[in-house]
Amino acid sequence: MSVNPNDPTVPKRVYAVTADGGRDVKWTRDVNGTIITGTGRIKVGDTTLGEGKQRVKQWAGTMFPGLAGVDILLDELADKPDGTYFRDLQVHKVLTDAGVRRDQEWFEGTLDEVRAAIVAVRQGRPYDVKRVLDFGLRPEQQDAVDITAGYFREHAAESGPSHFLWNAKMRFGKTFTTYKLAADMDWSRVLVLTYKPAVQSAWKDDLASHVDFADWEFIDRGVDSDDADSIASGADPFVWFASFQDLKGKTSDGRIKKHNETIHLVDWDAIVIDEYHFGAWRQTARDLYDPTEKALAEEEAPEDDIVEQDFGLKAKHYLYLSGTPFRAITNGEFTEDQVFNWTYIDEQREKEGWDDPEQENPYLELPRMEMYTYRMGAAAEQWADDGEFNGFSLNEYFRARKVDGAGKNDYEFKDKDRVLEFLEMLRGKLSDQQKTHIIAGQKPPFPYESARFSAGIRHTVWYMDDVAACYAMKDLLETHPYFKDYVIHVAAGTRAGQGAKAKKPVEDAIAKAERDGSAGSITLSCGKLMTGVTIKQWSAIFMLRSLKSPESYFQAAFRVQSPWAVTRAGEPREVVKPTCYVFEFDPNRALSLLAEYGTKLANSEKDVPEKVLGELINYLPIFAFDGARMDQLDATEVLNWASAGIGATALAQRWNSPLLVDVNDTTLQKLLDSPDLLASLEQIEDFRNLTTDVSKVITTNQKLKATKREKAEKGEPLGDDDKRTSKENASKRKEIREKLQKFIARVPVFMYLTDHRESALVDVITSLDPALFERVTGLTIADFEMLASIGVFNAQHMNFAIHQFRQFENASLRYAEEDPTQTLQGRVGVWDTVIESDDAVPASAS
């Protein structure tokens, strides 16, 4: 039965295409005396057939067999908010009214102009070539707006500014949601500060491109100072974007930079701190940088924290944005009612449980992650480094060197045969040694062999340690009998560009693979594109380097969790990427990081680690190949595996780890503000001069920060005296930490002294005989409680260390004939909480 396309209730799609013979046509347009030039003609049409491609085949199939030479630029539902549908004729009228020349359905214009015309028709708004977006808030984004606005209004009468944190996973949509919060709060003056200047484009694009923000202005370094002042003093709302690095700089005479003067004069409705975690990661944040970008890493991941007091700005509200703000939450910077949480667990739970028949699942296109870990075999153990565990190192396994007398980017692996063997393993071609361990009939799936991964490995990113390894791998892949059919792109080194500039070459490589019918594409990176960049076609990441922190690990891993779906008229969305994959080849390190990540999520959500970890791996299942078979792990098995490679010596070393003691400026200031505690500590020989030492560290650090800012503004390096002072101050801070670590080193004594394994160790310690505790540690129990309360002992790392101790202890007490999979059961006390093992959410066996 034929349908009437003019019936507004009939589902339709609108599409835009270009083709050979039209794509290179140059055109000129006079718009109110302004000459606009461009290249390419675009046809805009509509269809009721279900997909634009079907309609294009009807009229172009003869001229362009197989649609070779035709590019479909846009294909989307022609729907309106009221549920009716519009026609291409309405889009044509908007374009011609805007001065876009047409020849039948072909227009001499840009794709953005077509998008803007579609948005204008759909929303019933005036045409604005910059306004090409019209999406709305997802439920959790609306919750963030409502909860945050409620908190800010409730605390509006307080004398100082109010503070709120969004602990929201990558791809939450923080820029758009922040702008919607600003509209809800009737803000008109918003300052966005960030450690990562590269995110400027996201903040600008959302404001400039979405129909909801047509009245807003955007100011950044590209706006002339006089124009910025004029906007700031005008009636229209505006957003001012600046980096911490720029704002903290001063002129040679110590004054604020001219283009930043107005920032200090405005009474801001809100100051937004974006990528808040980044400055707090310090060294671990630098894992995500290309090694050739040392200067950028130094600038964006500074040694020193920057706090509100450093700027002297005036604001009614502060909004902090982060995907991994674990340190801020652990340090008690935000109370429970000051935090909105939205994690990967929340997202996948909502996706799975969506049951509203009146609304399409807004989470449907957000893929589930799966992790596959592969133990490389006993022969790989020689590839160790001198790191914390002195164990297997991917960085050493893939170590590369310059080829003598060769070109600039000619590198080779130190052991090429070993890497070739690894490439064969990816295809399921195992060495004779590996084959002997495989249990009969239980060969596990390998990435480039198993059909289950065929869609996921078409376009992948391989994360390596340095530029040399990337180029050495490129040469190996391009000459490999199997991998030579993939388009190999190196996104590493200075030639690849920085930030968003490194994205287009990757997209070009993917487009080339699609156009040429290649097997797919492989992007090799050692840091570029690992934060703030979305490549929707990436469906898998190969972790071929050993990272140090769960924050940096999961920032990289979530690069592949970008949504990718298409919609056909009258049909549900088709999800192109329902699952994405993390392929890991250092199981002990990866699962330790996963366990630590779960612990940090638990702390941020005020829940028990094993329960949160169990729920995490329910939505991020872990499959582990131990050299003989592959099994799906549950929460306790993840914790067991993470601990399996850590023997008694390494556990003892963990209790000497500097991570267990926090001596940052915030903690030291709290210590300085506790005179009774200081007086008590100074009775101990090691702490005779503690007050003087702490005061000197804090004061010197503040002076050094001011000096660094002044020198940076002048483009000058630190002088020898400043470097010497910095080194001495770092040494003094280390000395304080090492003295405090002596208390931590005695904690294992109390783990052996008590049979109350179901109680938190803090509670066990504080219930002991006070005289015994003081003899062992030199501290009174009251002193211990105070040190714990001000954050000197890092609860996250203490919990993880104690749980590993319990796991190791549990394994060592088993008899040989007992079930080797037996794990910790019931209530297990760690540092400051109790893990309810029975509450863990088990993953089903594979």
Side-chain angles (χ1 to χ4, degrees):
M1 184 178 68
S2 62
V3 296
N4 178 9
N6 292 316
D7 183 346
T9 65
V10 173
K12 287 178 282 292
R13 292 185 72 81
V14 61
Y15 63 86
V17 301
T18 189
D20 290 347
R23 75 176 78 247
D24 298 324
V25 172
K26 297 186 182 301
W27 48 262
T28 302
R29 187 191 313 155
D30 186 337
V31 179
N32 299 324
T34 300
I35 302 300
I36 299 175
T37 62
T39 302
R41 300 168 71 221
I42 298 176
K43 176 181 171 65
V44 180
D46 66 21
T47 181
T48 60
L49 296 178
E51 186 176 45
K53 186 176 182 179
Q54 293 174 262
R55 175 65 184 125
V56 174
K57 283 182 178 179
Q58 286 184 337
W59 59 260
T62 302
M63 186 180 301
F64 301 97
L67 296 187
V70 176
D71 289 330
I72 299 178
L73 307 174
L74 177 150
D75 181 9
E76 62 186 52
L77 275 176
D79 60 336
K80 292 184 176 183
D82 63 3
T84 62
Y85 297 84
F86 59 87
R87 292 220 57 189
D88 57 354
L89 299 176
Q90 295 164 270
V91 179
H92 297 169
K93 185 177 187 307
V94 171
L95 288 169
T96 53
D97 288 349
V100 178
R101 188 181 299 121
R102 67 176 292 183
D103 178 7
Q104 297 184 20
E105 291 184 334
W106 291 86
F107 291 83
E108 294 179 349
T110 66
L111 181 58
D112 276 349
E113 288 174 328
V114 173
R115 289 186 187 279
I118 291 172
V119 168
V121 173
R122 176 181 286 125
Q123 299 294 336
R125 294 172 178 262
Y127 171 80
D128 183 342
V129 69
K130 295 183 295 184
R131 304 289 162 184
V132 298
L133 303 176
D134 62 347
F135 54 82
L137 289 167
R138 294 194 304 269
E140 80 279 5
Q141 294 172 324
Q142 186 65 60
D143 287 345
V145 170
D146 294 342
I147 293 170
T148 310
Y151 180 87
F152 282 152
R153 291 188 176 112
E154 183 181 346
H155 294 80
E158 295 179 358
S159 57
S162 51
H163 302 74
F164 204 89
L165 167 70
W166 286 355
N167 169 25
K169 71 173 286 289
M170 290 69 79
R171 299 180 221 298
F172 169 72
K174 60 187 177 182
T175 56
F176 176 64
T177 311
T178 298
Y179 288 149
K180 295 296 281 186
L181 172 65
D184 187 281
M185 292 291 298
D186 292 323
W187 292 339
S188 59
R189 291 167 171 77
V190 177
L191 175 64
V192 178
L193 297 176
T194 182
Y195 282 101
K196 295 281 289 179
V199 303
Q200 177 263 2
S201 60
W203 286 97
K204 184 175 183 178
D205 291 348
D206 270 5
L207 198 73
S209 304
H210 201 284
V211 294
D212 288 353
F213 313 124
D215 298 329
W216 284 74
E217 299 277 0
F218 189 86
I219 303 171
D220 60 10
R221 281 297 306 274
V223 176
D224 179 79
S225 295
D226 292 336
D227 292 340
D229 293 346
S230 177
I231 293 172
S233 60
D236 290 337
F238 68 93
V239 172
W240 195 313
F241 179 93
S243 70
F244 283 115
Q245 299 90 314
D246 181 47
L247 194 61
K248 71 182 182 180
K250 299 291 177 63
T251 62
S252 58
D253 58 357
R255 301 180 63 183
I256 296 169
K257 297 176 182 179
K258 183 179 185 301
H259 63 265
N260 287 333
E261 288 177 351
T262 302
I263 292 178
H264 291 79
L265 300 176
V266 172
D267 288 332
W268 297 102
D269 291 319
I271 294 178
V272 179
I273 312 296
D274 189 22
E275 303 289 346
Y276 178 53
H277 56 273
F278 222 81
W281 285 1
R282 302 178 182 232
Q283 290 299 324
T284 55
R286 302 186 186 195
D287 285 336
L288 296 166
Y289 286 91
D290 188 312
T292 63
E293 298 176 346
K294 291 182 180 179
L296 186 64
E298 179 67 32
E299 187 176 38
E300 295 184 357
E303 286 295 330
D304 302 314
D305 293 328
I306 299 175
V307 295
E308 294 172 19
Q309 293 79 2
D310 291 333
F311 297 108
L313 301 172
K314 292 174 288 185
K316 297 175 185 175
H317 308 288
Y318 280 85
L319 177 65
Y320 293 80
L321 310 176
S322 175
T324 45
F326 301 131
R327 199 182 76 158
I329 294 173
T330 301
N331 287 350
E333 294 179 31
F334 300 91
T335 57
E336 191 170 348
D337 62 340
Q338 289 178 298
V339 181
F340 173 80
N341 294 302
W342 185 256
T343 67
Y344 170 78
I345 295 173
D346 297 319
E347 170 197 282
Q348 294 295 311
R349 184 192 299 124
E350 290 299 310
K351 172 183 172 182
E352 187 178 89
W354 188 262
D355 60 358
D356 185 349
E358 301 299 321
Q359 183 181 352
E360 193 174 33
N361 189 338
Y363 309 102
L364 187 65
E365 63 191 61
L366 294 166
R368 183 178 85 150
M369 297 182 72
E370 293 183 359
M371 176 183 284
Y372 288 80
T373 73
Y374 299 84
R375 177 161 276 167
M376 304 278 273
E381 298 303 321
Q382 62 179 298
W383 297 87
D385 59 14
D386 294 323
E388 181 180 359
F389 304 115
N390 193 31
F392 173 65
S393 168
L394 287 166
N395 300 342
E396 290 303 316
Y397 191 95
F398 293 106
R399 183 66 63 207
R401 60 193 173 197
K402 197 85 173 61
V403 177
D404 292 338
K408 181 179 180 181
N409 293 316
D410 289 330
Y411 296 89
E412 62 183 4
F413 289 111
K414 291 178 67 175
D415 192 324
K416 181 179 177 180
D417 291 340
R418 184 72 66 191
V419 179
L420 283 171
E421 187 175 282
F422 166 77
L423 294 179
E424 291 303 294
M425 186 191 79
L426 295 183
R427 301 178 57 227
K429 313 294 185 183
L430 304 181
S431 67
D432 291 339
Q433 181 200 34
Q434 290 173 313
K435 289 177 181 177
T436 60
H437 294 287
I438 295 290
I439 296 176
Q442 297 189 33
K443 183 182 177 183
F446 288 91
Y448 287 91
E449 178 200 35
S450 175
R452 78 166 71 176
F453 301 130
S454 57
I457 52 86
R458 179 156 175 75
H459 300 292
T460 62
V461 56
W462 294 18
Y463 192 17
M464 311 205 71
D465 185 47
D466 56 20
V467 177
C470 288
Y471 276 100
M473 184 63 80
K474 178 178 186 289
D475 289 345
L476 215 55
L477 292 174
E478 289 184 334
T479 57
H480 190 276
Y482 176 82
F483 289 102
K484 65 181 177 60
D485 292 332
Y486 285 80
V487 174
I488 312 299
H489 172 67
V490 175
T494 55
R495 292 175 59 188
Q498 288 187 3
K501 292 182 179 179
K503 179 179 178 180
K504 188 177 185 305
V506 176
E507 293 175 329
D508 291 344
I510 292 172
K512 175 176 170 55
E514 294 294 328
R515 185 173 61 249
D516 297 348
S518 301
S521 71
I522 295 172
T523 300
L524 304 167
S525 172
C526 55
K528 291 187 194 298
L529 307 172
M530 288 298 111
T531 60
V533 175
T534 297
I535 306 292
K536 68 179 181 181
Q537 294 91 342
W538 281 351
S539 297
I541 183 169
F542 287 68
M543 304 298 266
L544 305 183
R545 64 177 296 183
S546 295
L547 293 168
K548 302 173 184 176
S549 74
E551 289 93 341
S552 55
Y553 188 92
F554 284 96
Q555 280 279 338
F558 274 102
R559 289 307 97 202
V560 299
Q561 210 241 337
S562 54
W564 189 10
V566 297
T567 306
R568 295 176 175 83
E571 299 179 16
R573 272 178 298 170
E574 177 191 342
V575 177
V576 180
K577 185 170 64 174
T579 307
C580 57
Y581 304 97
V582 178
F583 293 112
E584 172 60 58
F585 303 92
D586 186 355
N588 286 342
R589 176 61 61 95
L591 296 177
S592 292
L593 291 175
L594 183 76
E596 190 174 347
Y597 182 66
T599 299
K600 291 186 174 188
L601 279 179
N603 285 350
S604 67
E605 296 181 5
K606 305 294 187 289
D607 210 334
V608 291
E610 195 163 356
K611 180 179 178 180
V612 173
L613 181 60
E615 192 168 14
L616 173 63
I617 65 175
N618 186 51
Y619 297 115
L620 198 168
I622 315 295
F623 299 87
F625 171 54
D626 63 1
R629 56 184 290 170
M630 177 166 278
D631 293 309
Q632 184 172 351
L633 307 183
D634 63 21
T636 50
E637 286 168 333
V638 168
L639 291 168
N640 267 359
W641 189 302
S643 304
I646 301 179
T649 301
L651 277 171
Q653 291 173 348
R654 183 174 283 280
W655 286 101
N656 289 316
S657 169
L659 296 175
L660 299 177
V661 177
D662 274 336
V663 288
N664 54 55
D665 283 0
T666 301
T667 303
L668 289 180
Q669 186 61 55
K670 289 180 180 178
L671 186 58
L672 205 59
D673 294 338
S674 307
D676 291 343
L677 175 60
L678 281 172
S680 180
L681 289 172
E682 287 183 336
Q683 299 302 309
I684 301 172
E685 181 63 34
D686 280 346
F687 293 97
R688 294 296 184 200
N689 301 310
L690 184 60
T691 302
T692 302
D693 291 344
V694 171
S695 298
K696 184 177 180 180
V697 166
I698 294 174
T699 303
T700 303
N701 198 48
Q702 290 173 344
K703 290 179 179 178
L704 281 170
K705 287 170 69 174
T707 300
K708 286 180 180 179
R709 293 170 189 163
E710 182 179 336
K711 297 281 189 181
E713 173 58 29
K714 295 177 182 178
E716 299 175 358
L718 285 177
D720 290 340
D721 289 344
D722 295 324
K723 290 180 180 178
R724 185 162 47 253
T725 300
S726 179
K727 186 175 181 179
E728 290 172 354
N729 204 48
S731 178
K732 180 59 68 176
R733 190 188 297 269
K734 180 181 178 183
E735 182 182 322
I736 295 171
R737 178 189 291 111
E738 288 175 345
K739 289 177 179 178
L740 289 166
Q741 280 177 241
K742 292 180 180 179
F743 297 135
I744 295 295
R746 292 161 186 163
V747 166
V749 171
F750 298 99
M751 288 192 286
Y752 282 116
L753 280 177
T754 179
D755 291 328
H756 299 291
R757 299 172 73 252
E758 72 281 2
S759 301
L761 197 59
V762 167
D763 297 331
V764 171
I765 289 173
T766 54
S767 65
L768 289 172
D769 176 5
L772 172 63
F773 183 81
E774 192 166 354
R775 282 200 305 274
V776 172
T777 67
L779 288 174
T780 67
I781 288 179
D783 294 337
F784 168 81
E785 289 179 312
M786 179 63 74
L787 283 170
S789 70
I790 65 177
V792 167
F793 305 137
N794 187 300
Q796 289 177 352
H797 290 288
M798 293 285 283
N799 282 332
F800 191 58
I802 293 174
H803 194 280
Q804 283 196 315
F805 175 89
R806 295 298 191 203
Q807 292 286 123
F808 181 80
E809 178 188 47
N810 187 66
S812 67
L813 294 175
R814 294 185 201 130
Y815 291 102
E817 65 271 15
E818 287 185 340
D819 181 0
T821 64
Q822 182 68 29
T823 58
L824 291 171
Q825 298 295 319
R827 292 168 56 86
V828 179
V830 284
W831 173 246
D832 62 352
T833 190
V834 175
I835 293 175
E836 296 281 359
S837 293
D838 293 339
D839 287 343
V841 181
S844 60
S846 60

